Each structure stands twice: as structure tokens, then as C-alpha cells.
């Protein structure tokens, strides 16, 4: 299995428009963060996790030609608003892409993009809604577990594929759901900034979760310009905890 991290930025991305802080002005490509998304390739299937406003650029720069299905963590704009940009994949591959998400998220996405979920005048349809709930799933020959995390009052999903888990936008995870993420080789988890935030883990909270789960390797994502410079923050982290960066490729 192969995971390409397509974006590692928080909802406004890094650099933030009109910001003159040292992170936003940094020349280091690792300080440039598109909105958070990832592509998992497993058994010759491409699974897109979240589809934010940068997806067109992300798919083009990683030469991603096909998507078998999409998993959505939740309905915030930075995770869904790029869905319309997947249409070329539907046209060129003559397919209807399944969108797997909780019913509430599906309702929200259909409200934003009603035309993508019904037949067009040529009789084809871009997306098919597939409601899922927390629990173990076997879809299109892929096994995964949807695990509940709390995003500051909004119940959202994280995903586990065998020994890899992808958590974004979490603020709290119950002990019973943390127990579903033990024994991981790779953990991707959100870490917004140094200061506390009411909807996202800050660095201290993320490190506390990592300390409980003890995955072999962890990569931080959904990062704001307020976390600090990539080169400076990485020196403060233990060797098996790294800052993810856009286009990072991981194999398991
Ligand atoms: Zn987000
Ligand atoms: Zn800034
Ligand atoms: Zn969110």
C-alpha cells in the first residue's frame, strides 16, 4: 500500500493570503501547504481521502489519472469543495465515482453539488453517494475501518487501513476509539499550531495522542502557519514523529 499526502495545510492553506509572518514568507517548499488530502493506492485501487479546493493542482502534480472511490472525513469546505474538479476523471474514464461518507456529509455535499449526483443530458452521472457509518467496511475489495473522532463538537470520521491510520481535524478521541488505532505502523494525524484551538489538536495534544498510541512512525498534517517553520519544528520532535509535507510518499 502506498500513501501520497497531497496536502498538509489547514483550511486557509500556507502561506495564508496577505500574511507576512516568517512561515508564510518562507522559501522552503516544505512550508507551502495545500489543503489536506491524501491518495491511498492499495491493490491497484486509488482511494482519495478528502477533496478540498486545491485538488485540481494536487491531482495534476502527482499525475493521478484515476480514482476508484472517495472517502470524506467531514463536510467542511476544505475537505469537499474540490469535488467538482473530479469531473474529468468521470468523463475520461467513463465512470461514476462512489463518494463514501456519513449521511449528514452526503446530504451537505449533494446540497452544494446537486448536478454531480444525477444523470446529465448524456445519461452519465459523476458521483454515486454511498453512506457509511463508523465501523469496519469492505468496499470494492478494500478493507477499512471508519473511526469516530470529535472535531470540536462535530462528529467526523478518521480511517484505518490495516496498519495505517489517517486522522484529520480531530480535537478529541474517546478511549474506546483510540483503542481502535493501536498497533499502527504509520499514523497521519492533525496538529494545527502551538496554541490551543477549540476545534483542532494543537501540538501538545497531538503528541499526547501519539504517546498513547505509540505508532512506529507518525506524520503531522492539517498544519497552520502558526505551528512554525518546518525546519525549526522538526528539530523539536522525536525521531519517529515527522512533519508531513505536500507530495510526501509513504509505503507500507
Ligand atoms: Zn479541515
Ligand atoms: Zn503567516
Ligand atoms: Zn474541519
Amino acid at each position: 500500500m502506498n500513501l501520497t499526502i497531497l496536502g498538509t495545510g489547514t483550511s486557509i492553506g500556507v502561506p495564508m493570503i496577505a500574511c507576512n509572518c516568517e512561515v508564510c514568507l518562507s522559501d522552503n517548499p516544505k512550508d507551502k501547504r495545500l489543503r489536506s488530502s491524501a491518495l491511498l493506492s492499495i491493490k491497484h485501487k486509488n482511494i482519495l481521502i478528502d477533496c478540498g479546493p486545491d485538488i485540481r493542482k494536487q491531482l495534476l502534480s502527482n499525475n493521478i489519472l484515476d480514482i476508484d472511490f472517495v472517502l470524506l472525513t467531514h463536510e467542511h469546505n476544505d475537505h469537499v469543495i474540490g469535488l467538482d474538479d473530479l469531473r474529468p476523471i468521470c468523463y475520461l474514464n467513463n465512470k461514476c465515482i462512489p463518494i463514501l461518507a456519513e449521511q449528514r456529509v452526503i446530504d451537505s455535499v449533494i446540497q452544494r453539488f446537486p448536478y454531480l449526483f444525477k444523470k446529465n443530458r448524456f445519461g452519465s452521472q459523476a458521483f454515486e453517494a454511498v453512506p457509511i457509518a463508523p465501523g469496519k467496511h469492505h468496499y470494492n475489495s478494500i478493507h477499512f475501518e471508519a473511526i469516530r473522532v470529535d472535531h470540536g463538537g462535530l462528529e467526523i470520521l478518521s480511517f484505518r487501513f490495516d496498519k495505517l491510520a489517517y486522522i484529520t481535524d480531530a480535537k478529541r478521541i474517546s478511549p474506546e476509539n483510540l483503542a481502535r488505532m493501536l498497533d499502527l505502523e504509520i499514523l497521519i494525524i492533525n496538529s494545527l499550531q502551538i496554541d490551543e484551538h477549540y476545534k483542532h489538536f494543537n501540538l501538545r495534544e497531538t503528541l499526547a495522542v501519539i504517546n498513547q498510541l505509540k505508532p512506529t512512525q507518525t506524520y503531522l498534517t492539517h498544519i497552520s502557519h502558526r505551528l512554525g517553520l518546518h525546519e525549526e519544528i522538526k528539530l523539536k520532535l522525536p525521531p519517529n514523529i515527522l512533519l508531513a509535507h505536500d507530495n510526501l510518499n509513504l509505503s507500507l
Side-chain angles (χ1 to χ4, degrees):
M1 129 168 72
N2 195 281
L3 186 81
T4 305
I5 311 236
L6 301 174
T8 56
T10 188
S11 60
I12 47 179
V14 182
M16 174 177 141
I17 293 170
C19 183
N20 291 318
C21 80
E22 61 172 354
V23 176
C24 291
L25 295 178
S26 165
D27 290 332
N28 184 350
K30 290 181 178 170
D31 285 318
K32 313 244 177 263
R33 301 183 182 279
L34 298 178
R35 267 57 70 90
S36 293
S37 176
L39 187 94
L40 185 76
S41 297
I42 174 169
K43 294 189 196 169
H44 306 291
K45 301 263 164 72
N46 279 344
I47 301 146
L48 179 66
I49 306 175
D50 286 338
C51 187
D54 297 313
I55 200 69
R56 178 176 175 276
K57 185 174 180 184
Q58 291 164 324
L59 297 184
L60 285 171
S61 53
N62 288 281
N63 197 29
I64 295 162
L65 309 176
D66 197 9
I67 288 167
D68 290 281
F69 61 93
V70 177
L71 289 169
L72 298 177
T73 57
H74 65 300
E75 66 271 46
H76 285 162
N77 242 32
D78 55 322
H79 299 263
V80 304
I81 207 67
L83 282 170
D84 182 77
D85 281 343
L86 300 186
R87 284 175 303 139
I89 291 176
C90 307
Y91 300 153
L92 291 177
N93 299 331
N94 193 24
K95 72 194 293 184
C96 175
I97 302 177
I99 309 290
L100 282 64
E102 291 188 88
Q103 188 63 55
R104 179 197 78 226
V105 177
I106 284 178
D107 292 345
S108 170
V109 164
I110 290 178
Q111 203 175 22
R112 277 140 138 151
F113 304 107
Y115 57 96
L116 296 177
F117 290 86
K118 53 189 176 202
K119 285 202 187 329
N120 64 20
R121 61 198 165 106
F122 306 108
S124 57
Q125 184 171 326
F127 300 146
E128 170 200 3
V130 181
I132 57 167
K136 292 191 174 167
H137 298 271
H138 182 218
Y139 187 81
N140 200 349
S141 80
I142 305 296
H143 288 275
F144 70 92
E145 184 170 5
I147 300 170
R148 170 71 72 222
V149 300
D150 174 76
H151 180 14
L154 185 70
E155 303 267 84
I156 69 169
L157 294 179
S158 58
F159 298 106
R160 178 175 183 154
F161 307 83
D162 194 19
K163 301 252 181 204
L164 181 150
Y166 184 91
I167 305 172
T168 190
D169 292 58
K171 172 66 180 175
R172 265 174 231 96
I173 308 177
S174 70
E176 87 180 318
N177 285 319
L178 276 177
R180 297 185 163 96
M181 299 192 207
L182 292 169
D183 196 25
L184 290 169
E185 284 181 28
I186 296 179
L187 170 65
I188 318 294
I189 185 168
N190 61 298
S191 191
L192 186 74
Q193 59 189 31
I194 303 296
D195 296 337
E196 278 203 29
H197 190 277
Y198 71 116
K199 275 183 177 295
H200 297 265
F201 287 143
N202 67 358
L203 182 59
R204 184 185 56 77
E205 292 165 327
T206 307
L207 293 176
V209 170
I210 296 166
N211 197 35
Q212 281 182 274
L213 298 182
K214 297 188 172 38
T216 312
Q217 198 78 250
T218 302
Y219 297 87
L220 308 185
T221 191
H222 209 284
I223 291 168
S224 129
H225 64 148
R226 300 183 67 196
L227 186 68
L229 290 164
H230 189 282
E231 291 302 317
E232 288 181 11
I233 296 297
K234 81 173 190 189
L235 299 175
K236 298 179 181 168
L237 298 173
N240 62 339
I241 302 176
L242 297 111
L243 291 179
H245 57 83
D246 291 14
N247 308 320
L248 174 68
N249 215 285
L250 304 169
S251 291
L252 189 71

